[in-house]
Amino acid sequence: MRDLFARYAGADLPLFVVGVLTSILGRVASLAPPLVLGVAIDATFNDDVAYTLPFVPAEFLPTTQAAEVWVSVGIIVAALAASVVLTWTNGAALSLFSNRIQHRIRVDSYEAMQRLDMAFFDDKQTGQVLAILNDDVRNLRMFLGTTVSSALQLVATVIGIAVILFSLNWQLALVTLVFVPALGVFTLWFMRSIRPRYRALRASVGDLNTRLENNLSGMEVIKTANAEAHETDRIHESSWQYYLRTWAVAKLEYLYQPSMDLLAGLAFAATFLIGGLWLVGAAPEPLSGTLRVGEFVTFLFMTQRFVDPLSGVGRIVNSYENARASAERVVGLVAQPVTVTDREDAIVRDRLEGAVEYDDVTFSYLPDRPVIRDFSFAAEPGDTVAFVGPTGAGKSTAAKLLLRLYDVDSGEVHVDGVDVRDLSLDSLRSNIGYVSQDVFLFDGTVAENVRYGSFDATDEELEDAVRLAEAHEFVVDLPDGYDTRVGERGVKLSGGQRQRLAIARAMLQDPAILVLDEATSAVDTETEALIQRGLARLTADRTTLVIAHRLSTVKTADLILVVDDGRIVERGTHEELLAVGGRYAALWGGQTEGSVGSFLGGE
Ligand code: ATP
């Protein structure tokens, strides 16, 4: 927590200092009225007591009783006015400070999150990450922004008033302060007890968000599976858990806060009792000396000012514990180890030639469950290599290793003779166009989506790419043409339309290497033939890795790899593989005869 404050508060420290100073000065200003009141009661209405004010030389003080009243009231009004100005400045400074901190923490944690490995996102639920970026960052803002300064103000006030109380009457001050250790012990107990509850609460915010987020994304499945009641039950369960955990926190809070008030009230009552008895001449042993009415009034007001903030310790501690649980989550996110990242001396290449080589590559998502094994092949710049094989064989995974969405466990993937782990991620990925199996479009216009990654492309370049992907005709038919909004994840387009836009996006990028993972699986054969024509032009002079179930689309590849259970089980050109008469030949036979399904895996 201290680290977070040091890291994010630095730039706006002046605002923080202004905030803290004004809050302390505001407190000081609020102490003036009771002090002056005490003096006024004892001096103005009492002939034998001189009118004195702390820090003010005698020659500046009034001499007549009427003037004393005027000066007293003047000081009180001035203190009130100062207090208003100080409170406003304090609020403005701290609000600016905390909102700026929140902005910085949020952007930073988003940036850190974005750098994390794909494996993190495979494991982590979106709702949890969202909860961190929203709720936890907000908790930190409240703590770093307001609570820290309240705590400083409280410490300053308590020490300041304790000093005044002692200087006014040390014996009575002891009576008041005897309650402070009890408040401390009780607060420590509260902190210990509430900490695990806050942790559980923060986690359950994430759980609930995850479920809501999942359900919103899967609304179509929920409706078609007629699962509304089932999902309502599950949301009920998550929400109930959240409620229970909030209640577990609240229960303790509501016990703590009034107990603190009670202890603080007891301190006040004890002071009143002992002071009152003293004033009427019935002071218990061993109190000695005299106590004047005005002094006693000041003392009581001061005691009130002393115990009020003490009961505020509850809010501070509460906010601290809440923020602590949030800080653990934010730091946990930012401090995740990242493996797929640039080496310090990463090689930067603006333009790659496109030679690709896999050398004895092994990879597993989960320990001891290899998905890619002994995977070796080489492609010259401009070659087209096709991966075919049964579903789940590891074709997409093999392609993702080229993009470094994951790093290999053993072996090496080379581009232009350089291990991809030695290239900068920017050099590598800007040279690879990737059309994935699940096309993702952002909520934006058609043009924005195609331009994604090639942000500087001109309108002509954009349209050329869209034409090559056989998408121009359907795009101009859309209500607003290129400016039509595609909806979240592109829901307002058909699967085939989305795929064509993804292909256009890759074409616009004009990369040295192209990875097409089932890029045309969602279009009809006629459109596919048209896209293939465009693709043929596009892939002619660049290295292409293509994954396809429809073998007609990979017939012309320079190298076809038949993948099964993570291994390359056959390799060669279409003709060579037909001549071998193995799995590929069998599959080809099956597909050209029009039979449905793949029997590559079924021996
Ligand atoms: P398809 O033809 O159906 O697209 P594929 O050959 O492309 O299949 P992959 O997507 O590479 O197959 O998956 C290979 C194996 O890895 C599968 O058994 C799958 O369950 C597993 N797998 C894929 N992605 C992950 C992941 N993120 N985490 C864990 N396992 C995964």
Side-chain angles (χ1 to χ4, degrees):
M1 196 86 109
R2 220 176 303 137
D3 293 350
L4 279 176
F5 189 80
R7 175 142 32 115
Y8 292 105
D12 287 314
L13 215 52
L15 279 175
F16 181 72
V17 173
V18 168
V20 172
L21 282 183
T22 45
S23 83
I24 293 174
L25 287 176
R27 273 295 151 121
V28 172
S30 74
L31 295 182
L35 259 180
V36 174
L37 192 65
V39 172
I41 292 174
D42 284 341
T44 311
F45 309 116
N46 224 340
D47 269 349
D48 52 345
V49 181
Y51 191 93
T52 55
L53 285 172
F55 314 116
V56 184
E59 57 264 36
F60 292 114
L61 293 173
T63 45
T64 66
Q65 281 177 312
E68 284 173 5
V69 173
W70 273 106
V71 168
S72 300
V73 173
I75 292 176
I76 290 173
V77 171
L80 285 177
S83 169
V84 168
V85 174
L86 288 166
T87 306
W88 185 88
T89 317
N90 167 258
L94 288 181
S95 164
L96 274 176
F97 172 73
S98 61
N99 281 300
R100 287 186 191 184
I101 284 196
Q102 165 170 271
H103 168 71
R104 278 198 290 271
I105 296 184
R106 180 171 289 143
V107 173
D108 257 24
S109 33
Y110 171 76
E111 224 190 351
M113 183 270 290
Q114 206 172 224
R115 273 199 298 267
L116 296 178
D117 293 344
M118 267 326 278
F120 169 85
F121 298 98
D122 293 345
D123 279 343
K124 199 80 177 176
Q125 294 151 322
T126 318
Q128 288 282 8
V129 182
L130 271 183
I132 294 176
L133 293 176
N134 278 327
D135 302 299
D136 291 321
V137 168
R138 195 181 54 230
N139 278 339
L140 283 182
R141 177 199 81 197
M142 299 206 294
F143 177 73
L144 296 177
T146 35
T147 315
V148 171
S149 86
S150 307
L152 290 174
Q153 184 204 45
L154 185 133
V155 170
T157 313
V158 166
I159 293 178
I161 298 186
V163 169
I164 295 178
L165 289 181
F166 269 103
S167 67
L168 281 173
N169 187 320
W170 67 269
Q171 298 173 84
L172 207 50
L174 279 180
V175 174
T176 314
L177 295 175
V178 90
F179 287 85
V180 170
L183 289 164
V185 170
F186 185 54
T187 300
L188 276 180
W189 167 80
F190 172 73
M191 285 171 81
R192 294 241 169 84
S193 320
I194 206 157
R195 193 165 296 162
R197 299 184 186 206
Y198 263 122
R199 239 178 244 146
L201 173 62
R202 303 272 35 110
S204 93
V205 175
D207 291 341
L208 181 59
N209 274 4
T210 299
R211 193 137 291 299
L212 289 171
E213 201 269 338
N214 253 292
N215 285 13
L216 285 175
S217 315
M219 198 46 82
E220 192 175 279
V221 181
I222 295 177
K223 284 187 180 295
T224 51
N226 202 20
E228 285 95 337
H230 170 70
E231 286 306 333
T232 306
D233 282 352
R234 296 216 289 180
I235 292 293
H236 181 281
E237 176 58 30
S238 289
S239 176
W240 188 248
Q241 280 303 325
Y242 176 64
Y243 155 78
L244 289 178
R245 290 173 183 190
T246 312
W247 175 233
V249 166
K251 238 178 355 196
L252 216 55
E253 255 174 54
Y254 293 136
L255 172 71
Y256 174 69
Q257 190 62 49
S259 306
M260 286 294 279
D261 289 346
L262 180 69
L263 281 173
L266 283 179
F268 183 77
T271 313
F272 200 157
L273 178 70
I274 305 288
L277 289 176
W278 194 342
L279 209 59
V280 298
E285 291 290 330
L287 299 180
S288 58
T290 51
L291 180 68
R292 276 196 291 273
V293 180
E295 210 176 79
F296 183 50
V297 168
T298 303
F299 206 96
L300 279 186
F301 272 114
M302 287 292 172
T303 306
Q304 190 68 46
R305 297 269 201 288
F306 180 71
V307 296
D308 271 358
L310 279 186
S311 67
V313 170
R315 266 188 307 277
I316 291 173
V317 169
N318 206 19
S319 160
Y320 170 74
E321 288 301 336
N322 194 4
R324 198 182 141 114
S326 288
E328 277 173 10
R329 288 158 56 84
V330 172
V331 171
L333 179 75
V334 176
Q336 282 284 328
V338 183
T339 51
V340 181
T341 183
D342 279 350
R343 288 200 173 151
E344 234 166 63
D345 49 354
I347 300 169
V348 177
R349 296 258 171 95
D350 284 347
R351 185 77 195 168
L352 293 171
E353 296 293 320
V356 172
E357 189 184 351
Y358 280 52
D359 188 8
D360 212 9
V361 170
T362 304
F363 171 76
S364 55
Y365 290 105
L366 306 168
D368 302 325
R369 302 191 59 167
V371 174
I372 298 292
R373 323 160 197 232
D374 316 324
F375 211 90
S376 300
F377 74 91
E380 296 294 316
D383 277 2
T384 295
V385 178
F387 295 169
V388 300
T391 169
K395 305 178 297 291
S396 303
T397 306
K400 286 177 184 171
L401 295 176
L402 178 66
L403 283 137
R404 277 194 85 197
L405 285 176
Y406 304 89
D407 271 344
V408 299
D409 294 339
S410 68
E412 286 167 10
V413 176
H414 290 122
V415 174
D416 288 1
V418 182
D419 189 320
V420 286
R421 287 168 295 185
D422 294 334
L423 271 174
S424 77
L425 280 172
D426 189 37
S427 308
L428 179 73
R429 292 185 183 154
S430 63
N431 275 288
I432 305 180
Y434 177 52
V435 182
S436 78
Q437 214 166 9
D438 324 298
V439 169
F440 183 92
L441 297 182
F442 289 95
D443 182 24
T445 65
V446 168
E448 281 164 4
N449 270 290
V450 176
R451 252 201 200 105
Y452 199 82
S454 316
F455 300 103
D456 302 329
T458 64
D459 288 351
E460 289 72 36
E461 288 166 339
L462 173 84
E463 200 180 309
D464 285 349
V466 175
R467 276 183 198 279
L468 272 174
E470 292 298 330
H472 180 72
E473 269 170 41
F474 93 75
V475 171
V476 289
D477 267 357
L478 291 171
D480 296 312
Y482 279 85
D483 294 327
T484 309
R485 295 190 75 84
V486 299
E488 213 170 330
R489 290 183 303 280
V491 286
K492 294 184 183 170
L493 299 178
S494 77
Q497 290 172 335
R498 283 200 290 271
Q499 275 194 336
R500 277 179 276 172
L501 291 188
I503 293 174
R505 183 192 281 169
M507 292 189 171
L508 188 60
Q509 193 187 336
D510 189 25
I513 303 170
L514 201 58
V515 177
L516 304 171
D517 190 351
E518 310 251 6
T520 54
S521 59
V523 296
D524 58 83
T525 34
E526 211 170 303
T527 313
E528 181 169 38
L530 289 171
I531 299 176
Q532 284 302 331
R533 269 213 326 256
L535 280 178
R537 253 173 290 167
L538 184 76
T539 59
D541 54 354
R542 67 191 90 224
T543 316
T544 309
L545 299 190
V546 51
I547 300 169
H549 280 290
R550 262 187 241 154
L551 300 188
S552 55
T553 59
V554 301
K555 222 172 98 181
T556 54
D558 301 291
L559 175 66
I560 297 173
L561 304 173
V562 181
V563 183
D564 191 8
D565 201 14
R567 294 178 205 276
I568 300 175
V569 293
E570 276 181 22
R571 65 176 72 214
T573 61
H574 176 71
E575 286 72 23
E576 286 165 359
L577 289 174
L578 282 189
V580 172
R583 291 196 174 186
Y584 181 83
L587 180 63
W588 177 257
Q591 288 198 355
T592 45
E593 277 158 28
S595 62
V596 178
S598 153
F599 53 91
L600 269 174
E603 286 164 292

